[in-house]
Amino acid sequence: MQGNLPPEAQEKLEELQDLQQTAQQVAAQKQQAETELQESQTALDELDDIDEDATMYREVGELLVKTEFDEAQDDLEEKVNSLEVRVETLEKQEERVQEQFEELQGELQQMLGGAGGAGPAGGPGAGGA
């Protein structure tokens, strides 16, 4: 079908495909960041049940290194804050990509005389969280 499209429509279709790929990459990054955030938040919550004098270790590569309670807590809080910002940034990026996709899809449909189904079904957010 792509061979029958006017050059402008072909270009828009390629842009749509690029945006869809970008959307998938952003969604994967967001999912990974959300998983890390959940794990870090769980670890931080577990610190509430641990005595501050308990011997603690942190994973550094393949080694466990002794650490202080306050240092571990501070590091986890910093990581949680950083991951919250990352997830928020990725959510905004996801929204921008979705808006661009919908705009481009509309332009392509106008070029093709309002024909439906020119773009990938459901857009880049289809099946997302």
Side-chain angles (χ1 to χ4, degrees), residues 4 21 30-31 35 50-52 55 57 61 82 94 99 125 127:
N4 299 334
Q21 185 176 11
K30 182 179 138 194
Q31 184 176 3
T35 300
I50 295 176
D51 182 23
E52 291 188 24
T55 303
Y57 297 89
S82 174
E94 212 173 27
E99 289 169 7

Side-chain angles (χ1 to χ4, degrees), residues 72-91:
Q73 186 174 27
D74 289 346
D75 287 349
L76 276 172
E77 286 173 352
E78 185 177 319
K79 185 174 184 178
V80 164
N81 290 337
S82 174
L83 285 167
E84 286 173 342
V85 169
R86 175 127 176 89
V87 167
E88 186 177 319
T89 301
L90 288 167
E91 285 173 349

Side-chain angles (χ1 to χ4, degrees), residues 19-77:
L19 275 175
Q20 189 168 24
Q21 185 176 11
T22 299
Q24 290 170 346
Q25 291 170 346
V26 170
Q29 290 173 8
K30 182 179 138 194
Q31 184 176 3
Q32 181 180 359
E34 286 173 333
T35 300
E36 280 185 59
L37 174 60
Q38 183 63 38
E39 290 171 356
S40 297
Q41 186 62 56
T42 299
L44 188 58
D45 291 344
E46 287 297 316
L47 285 182
D48 292 339
D49 298 331
I50 295 176
D51 182 23
E52 291 188 24
D53 295 332
T55 303
M56 297 184 65
Y57 297 89
R58 80 164 8 138
E59 192 175 359
V60 179
E62 295 188 24
L63 299 174
L64 292 177
V65 179
K66 190 173 181 179
T67 188
E68 298 295 322
F69 179 91
D70 290 339
E71 185 179 345
Q73 186 174 27
D74 289 346
D75 287 349
L76 276 172
E77 286 173 352

